[in-house]
Amino acid sequence: MNAVVPTVTFADIEAAAVRIAGQAIETPLIESPALNERVGLRVLIKAETLQRVGAFKFRGAYNRLVQLSDEERARGVVAFSSGNHAQGVALAAKLLGIPAVIVMPDDAPGVKVEATKGYGADVRFYNRLAGKTREAIAAEIAAEREAVVVPAFDDPHIVAGQGTVGLEMVRQAQAIGAKLDVVAAPISGGGLLAGIATAAKALSPETAVVGVEPAAFDDTLQSLRKGERVTIKPQGRSYCDALESPFPGEITFPIMHRMVADVATVTDAEVAEAMRVAFSTLKLVVEPGGAAALAALLAGKVQMFGGHTVGIVLSGGNVDPEFFANVLRGKA
Amino acid sequence: MNAVVPTVTFADIEAAAVRIAGQAIETPLIESPALNERVGLRVLIKAETLQRVGAFKFRGAYNRLVQLSDEERARGVVAFSSGNHAQGVALAAKLLGIPAVIVMPDDAPGVKVEATKGYGADVRFYNRLAGKTREAIAAEIAAEREAVVVPAFDDPHIVAGQGTVGLEMVRQAQAIGAKLDVVAAPISGGGLLAGIATAAKALSPETAVVGVEPAAFDDTLQSLRKGERVTIKPQGRSYCDALESPFPGEITFPIMHRMVADVATVTDAEVAEAMRVAFSTLKLVVEPGGAAALAALLAGKVQMFGGHTVGIVLSGGNVDPEFFANVLRGKA
């Protein structure tokens, strides 16, 4: 018999919202008439780019770390991440006085590495292609120190923390008299989307939840089609460094399977165009992975199920200036 | 005896707020713990970059145009502007069904020209250095068509509209339990600052109002020192294309004279650095002129009068991608 996979309830998300209040930012839900006109829909933008550490990841990390016992806090935490979860854990650890070791790929964006170090974390690098996996390195460090490993997505407290994005979106939309027919958010391991789906389905059962992933990392789409978790063999990189998980999570997949209405995939070119539109029309700095849902919307790939109001999560804004400059100049 | 110069009251600003409600966006007041830490103050960012047309100018333009009579609307409006006022008037005119002719310098940023045309305005160019002044061209067109000239700043309805920025800032700060010790905003002709000062002094008399202008266009500073309006002879351009007025307004100057506590000046290098900080720390796209107050803050030039909470207006985000890319790469 398999071990029971924990799930996440709406009550968990409400509890997470209380825990992170005053620490995480209630990011604004932004509307741009110019964007509405361009896509012929009402678009409500959840700007998690304006969250602490520049991405939604702080929510889940803080919700996880604040629940550690004093003894666990003293031993510290270990996480592995290409960047945004790294920063989320590093900042949450700093705020709570917990030592943190973060294992990052040696080709992670410089801004993400620098920020993680800036929050005081002990950063260790690994090579994506050679030697031990990051999971193995993190497990080793954790064993040495008896430290707690903080997963990027496959943890109910992490999912519940990310779910507060959905909680806020639905309530902020209601506050301006809008009803979200569809909510679209990027998928890596599925923590954000599973959390948003759980919140949205509880507060607004008619809202359709749509995930977006890079075409080259369509593991969730494949998994949902097959009805079980699929691990893909990536054929290269994506602009979306934050969305390169090759499989959905053990906890996140069943939630997405129950609650996600559709998954769209986007190309690097569509992502770059979305970053340019966010720059010129929204005046927001968005990283590639953070722009995936907007990219799908602009490419006409977000299924609207007959509705006309869509919530789009811009999930992060941590992007190297040189790469961003290339995107603006049409060279990426 | 001189003609009486009209002034602007807080009641005018409250009335403007009612007129623009549902048309202008109530832009968010954003707080970044990372920026707070960097400057050692509590900083509340008024992101007018997220306003319609990407700048606060829509507020004043709409407040002016919506008060035109049916007859005036039919004859149309004329405005001259390097870009943001142009866009504000063009969009307000489009929304109200008013024909608009906009006179722009032929070296205005491409994004501003394109957007102004995009809102349906008839754009006419002039050369800054040769031939007729923009005032003369606009006056000619206005005379031909019996059209109403919509000034960029020297008009009580324009000032009242821009003042709604200050109204919102003070109320949004109060809503989160903060008291603004200082508010800093950029100065071109002074419409924004005079409006903000009028609102702030009415709602929060202890708040000190600080203006920021480019070092090469310090006409307001010189005017305040002298106690009368000074017209400067610019020795070149500034990165801040939106802040190149060589004199403060006839209406705006007396208001600033009464209410503004200090004026700081910033260099192009300080402005570029502020744009980079807005990109990396705030994840906001800010144009040079829009970043002037943040530049002064980062350079330690905003006098705090013993306080520790400062409101910073990011007044616009309309910037050519190529120039922005150069700023990011340290080449501007």
Side-chain angles (χ1 to χ4, degrees):
Chain A
M1 203 179 104
N2 287 332
V4 175
V5 175
T7 191
V8 177
T9 65
F10 180 59
D12 295 330
I13 295 172
E14 285 184 301
V18 172
R19 280 186 212 105
I20 70 175
Q23 297 293 338
I25 290 166
E26 183 176 333
T27 54
L29 192 67
I30 292 169
E31 183 168 9
S32 158
L35 179 61
N36 288 352
E37 201 172 310
R38 178 173 176 147
V39 298
L41 297 166
R42 183 174 191 186
V43 187
L44 300 174
I45 298 279
K46 182 64 170 168
E48 278 295 291
T49 50
L50 307 179
Q51 187 51 265
R52 291 183 87 163
V53 314
F56 71 95
K57 290 282 190 180
F58 176 73
R59 296 173 183 262
Y62 192 87
N63 187 47
R64 179 75 183 85
L65 266 59
V66 76
Q67 296 184 70
L68 294 176
S69 68
D70 287 351
E71 208 187 315
E72 287 170 324
R73 291 186 187 201
R75 293 199 301 260
V77 294
V78 179
F80 44 87
S81 157
S82 72
N84 285 333
H85 178 58
Q87 292 176 71
V89 172
L91 176 58
K94 181 187 169 192
L95 294 172
L96 294 164
I98 301 172
V101 178
I102 312 284
V103 181
M104 300 182 80
D106 54 15
D107 61 354
V111 288
K112 295 183 176 180
V113 174
E114 288 316 307
T116 305
K117 288 181 177 170
Y119 297 125
D122 176 1
V123 174
R124 312 277 178 93
F125 293 102
Y126 76 99
N127 186 295
R128 286 177 192 272
L129 308 171
K132 295 180 203 168
T133 64
R134 62 186 192 173
E135 286 85 352
I137 297 169
E140 246 179 55
I141 296 168
E144 253 169 46
R145 309 184 163 213
E146 300 183 71
V148 175
V149 175
V150 184
F153 49 84
D154 233 354
D155 177 299
H157 304 302
I158 298 286
V159 174
Q162 322 306 31
T164 60
V165 173
L167 182 79
E168 290 176 14
M169 281 180 88
V170 174
R171 290 187 175 159
Q172 288 171 319
Q174 285 169 348
I176 57 168
K179 190 189 144 291
L180 292 168
D181 299 311
V182 175
V183 169
I187 315 173
S188 184
L192 176 63
L193 195 68
I196 287 175
T198 303
K201 287 297 177 187
L203 289 171
S204 174
E206 290 168 20
T207 298
V209 177
V210 172
V212 182
E213 55 188 356
F217 289 80
D218 66 343
D219 49 286
T220 298
L221 178 61
Q222 290 191 33
S223 300
L224 290 171
R225 280 186 179 152
K226 200 167 176 192
E228 60 181 62
R229 293 166 68 209
V230 170
T231 298
I232 61 163
K233 288 203 175 37
Q235 300 303 308
R237 298 291 311 271
S238 156
Y239 280 178
C240 303
D241 58 273
L243 305 182
E244 294 187 328
S245 171
F247 49 78
E250 191 177 10
I251 294 172
T252 60
F253 176 70
I255 299 174
M256 292 193 285
H257 198 199
R258 278 199 309 280
M259 297 186 177
V260 169
D262 193 32
V263 172
T265 63
V266 287
T267 64
D268 278 353
E270 288 165 343
V271 165
E273 175 61 12
M275 291 171 71
R276 286 188 287 267
V277 170
F279 170 87
S280 61
T281 303
L282 303 176
K283 316 298 179 190
L284 294 175
V285 176
V286 190
E287 66 179 277
L294 179 62
L297 179 74
L298 293 169
K301 291 176 172 179
V302 173
Q303 217 186 118
M304 286 298 299
F305 302 95
H308 67 278
T309 301
V310 58
I312 294 287
V313 179
L314 298 183
S315 53
N318 295 311
V319 50
D320 273 334
E322 188 71 27
F323 180 77
F324 196 84
N326 284 337
V327 168
L328 288 187
R329 304 168 77 204
K331 295 185 177 171
Chain B
M1 203 179 104
N2 288 333
V4 175
V5 175
T7 191
V8 177
T9 65
F10 180 59
D12 296 329
I13 296 173
E14 286 183 301
V18 172
R19 281 185 211 107
I20 69 174
Q23 297 293 338
I25 291 166
E26 182 175 332
T27 55
L29 191 68
I30 293 169
E31 183 167 10
S32 159
L35 179 62
N36 288 352
E37 202 171 309
R38 177 171 176 146
V39 297
L41 297 166
R42 183 173 192 187
V43 186
L44 300 174
I45 298 279
K46 183 63 170 170
E48 279 294 294
T49 51
L50 307 179
Q51 187 52 264
R52 290 183 87 163
V53 313
F56 71 94
K57 290 283 191 181
F58 176 71
R59 297 173 183 263
Y62 192 87
N63 187 49
R64 179 74 182 88
L65 267 58
V66 77
Q67 296 185 70
L68 294 176
S69 68
D70 287 350
E71 207 188 316
E72 287 170 323
R73 290 185 188 203
R75 293 198 303 258
V77 294
V78 179
F80 46 87
S81 157
S82 72
N84 286 334
H85 177 59
Q87 292 177 71
V89 171
L91 177 58
K94 180 186 168 192
L95 294 172
L96 295 164
I98 301 173
V101 177
I102 312 284
V103 181
M104 300 182 79
D106 54 15
D107 60 354
V111 289
K112 295 183 176 180
V113 175
E114 288 317 308
T116 304
K117 288 181 179 170
Y119 297 124
D122 177 0
V123 174
R124 313 275 178 91
F125 292 103
Y126 77 99
N127 186 296
R128 285 179 194 273
L129 308 173
K132 296 181 202 168
T133 64
R134 61 186 193 174
E135 286 84 352
I137 298 168
E140 244 178 56
I141 297 167
E144 254 169 45
R145 308 182 164 216
E146 297 184 71
V148 174
V149 176
V150 184
F153 49 84
D154 233 353
D155 177 300
H157 304 302
I158 298 285
V159 173
Q162 322 305 31
T164 59
V165 173
L167 181 80
E168 290 176 13
M169 283 181 87
V170 174
R171 289 185 175 159
Q172 289 170 318
Q174 285 169 347
I176 58 168
K179 191 188 143 291
L180 293 168
D181 298 311
V182 175
V183 169
I187 315 173
S188 183
L192 176 64
L193 195 69
I196 287 175
T198 303
K201 286 298 178 187
L203 289 170
S204 174
E206 288 168 22
T207 298
V209 177
V210 171
V212 182
E213 54 188 357
F217 289 79
D218 66 343
D219 49 287
T220 299
L221 178 61
Q222 290 191 31
S223 300
L224 291 171
R225 281 188 179 151
K226 198 164 176 193
E228 62 181 61
R229 295 166 68 209
V230 170
T231 298
I232 61 163
K233 287 202 174 39
Q235 300 303 308
R237 298 291 310 271
S238 157
Y239 281 179
C240 303
D241 60 271
L243 306 183
E244 294 187 327
S245 171
F247 49 79
E250 191 178 10
I251 294 172
T252 60
F253 177 70
I255 299 174
M256 292 194 284
H257 199 198
R258 278 200 307 279
M259 297 186 178
V260 169
D262 194 32
V263 172
T265 63
V266 289
T267 65
D268 278 354
E270 288 165 344
V271 164
E273 175 62 12
M275 291 172 71
R276 286 188 288 268
V277 170
F279 169 87
S280 61
T281 304
L282 304 176
K283 317 299 179 191
L284 295 175
V285 176
V286 190
E287 67 179 275
L294 179 61
L297 180 74
L298 293 168
K301 291 177 170 178
V302 173
Q303 218 186 118
M304 286 300 297
F305 301 95
H308 66 280
T309 301
V310 58
I312 294 286
V313 179
L314 298 182
S315 53
N318 296 311
V319 48
D320 274 333
E322 188 69 29
F323 180 76
F324 197 84
N326 284 338
V327 168
L328 288 186
R329 304 168 78 204
K331 293 183 179 174

